[in-house]
Amino acid sequence: MIFETHAHYDDEKFDEDRAELLSSMQENGIGRIINVSANLESLENTRKLMEAYPFIYGAFGLHPDDVGDLNEDVMARMRELCRMEKAVAVGEIGLDYHYEDIPRDRQQAAFRAQMALALELNLPVIVHEREAHEDGLRMVEEFPEVTGVFHCYSGSVEMARELLRRGWYLGFDGPITYKNAAKAPEVIAACPAERILLETDSPYLAPVPNRGKRNDSRNLPFIAARVAEIKGMTIDQVAEVTLQNGKKLFDL
């Protein structure tokens, strides 16, 4: 069984066939799924999925592009959700400097507040970090007692080594299968298998050979195969070690 540690099945792209698709996951070798919230609406929709499916767990947080909605009431609701039995992480939180629709100082304040929530509740975090490597690492340094996963890792080998030294995990998604994935093979080669998590970020970032299509967790074997190729392992070995990694990080 493969552990899908980052998906968004509350996304509207799944509205037409969500129930049918999720009901097929176990027979397709997907043993557990973490549905990761990103905005206000997805906080409640993630809760509903977590309650409806025994194999779905929840992560609760606001994506950096949506932290304009973060206030004391939202923080209080996130705290309640994170205390639920099947809540396993605060996320996805972080920094995204690609579009900067939300000013950097606002993103950083929200990231800091949500890291503090994880510290308070003794939960790991799921971090989205895009084109903000230096500030992302600085935030990690501010909260040495908080660890988690840098989702869809896109940083350098040097940054990866620093995160690994601090006890973090790295998540790898469909882009590692793309021809232009220059850094990913080097990072995966340098990352111990015991710190790798498999993700799809569904419905986004479908791997080759399904690039450009709607993504879902049934594509995880393509990601596992690329990791296996780089690490000199079998796909089954990658599936098993990443399953155990996910269970350890998310305390399952």
Side-chain angles (χ1 to χ4, degrees):
M1 287 289 187
I2 298 180
F3 190 168
E4 159 74 277
T5 59
H6 195 118
H8 301 280
Y9 283 109
D10 58 296
D11 191 280
E12 62 183 9
K13 291 182 176 64
F14 294 113
D15 284 353
E16 292 186 2
D17 62 346
R18 182 179 292 107
E20 180 183 1
L21 178 61
L22 290 175
S23 296
S24 75
M25 287 298 167
Q26 305 274 281
E27 65 191 56
N28 280 286
I30 311 303
R32 301 170 190 243
I33 295 170
I34 297 178
N35 201 80
V36 183
S37 63
N39 54 39
L40 285 181
E41 185 178 9
S42 71
L43 292 173
E44 300 304 328
N45 289 336
T46 292
R47 175 188 59 79
K48 293 174 183 177
L49 287 171
M50 186 177 74
E51 292 176 339
Y53 295 90
F55 57 91
I56 293 183
Y57 299 82
F60 298 95
L62 292 190
H63 185 286
D65 287 342
D66 288 277
V67 296
D69 293 322
L70 189 63
N71 56 39
E72 290 184 5
D73 290 340
V74 173
M75 285 295 298
R77 181 55 178 153
M78 283 168 46
R79 184 175 287 104
E80 291 176 352
L81 292 167
C82 285
R83 285 175 170 152
M84 296 181 70
E85 182 179 356
K86 290 176 68 187
V88 297
V90 175
E92 77 185 271
I93 65 176
L95 303 170
D96 192 319
Y97 293 170
H98 185 69
Y99 295 114
E100 291 195 65
D101 293 331
I102 304 292
R104 292 187 181 191
D105 59 346
R106 183 72 182 91
Q107 290 189 42
Q108 291 168 17
F111 190 9
R112 187 173 287 108
Q114 293 179 95
M115 288 285 279
L117 178 64
L119 178 62
E120 173 192 337
L121 300 178
N122 193 31
L123 284 174
V125 293
I126 296 173
V127 171
H128 171 106
E129 182 271 296
R130 186 181 187 189
E131 298 177 21
H133 305 323
E134 183 176 342
D135 286 344
L137 192 55
R138 180 168 54 82
M139 196 69 66
V140 166
E141 293 169 349
E142 283 188 33
F143 291 88
E145 295 175 299
V146 177
T147 59
V149 54
F150 264 58
H151 143 70
C152 198
Y153 183 75
S154 60
S156 65
V157 172
E158 291 74 22
M159 180 175 171
R161 287 179 175 141
E162 179 61 20
L163 290 169
L164 294 167
R165 186 183 70 81
R166 291 174 175 272
W168 285 72
Y169 291 71
L170 305 181
F172 295 101
D173 306 55
I176 70 170
T177 68
Y178 302 167
K179 288 183 179 180
N180 63 348
K183 289 189 291 186
E186 187 180 359
V187 173
I188 293 169
C191 183
E194 292 74 19
R195 294 290 188 84
I196 291 174
L197 297 180
L198 298 182
E199 314 171 335
T200 60
D201 202 22
S202 297
Y204 314 105
L205 302 179
V208 173
N210 295 316
R211 186 176 184 180
K213 300 178 182 178
R214 186 189 72 173
N215 199 8
D216 70 63
S217 302
R218 295 173 300 176
N219 283 322
L220 281 167
F222 297 116
I223 301 167
R226 181 61 177 134
V227 172
E229 179 184 7
I230 295 168
K231 300 296 288 183
M233 301 168 66
T234 67
I235 295 176
D236 286 345
Q237 287 172 331
V238 170
E240 178 60 22
V241 71
T242 54
L243 168 64
Q244 297 306 321
N245 296 345
K247 289 169 67 176
K248 182 178 180 181
L249 175 60
F250 299 111
D251 195 23
L252 297 174

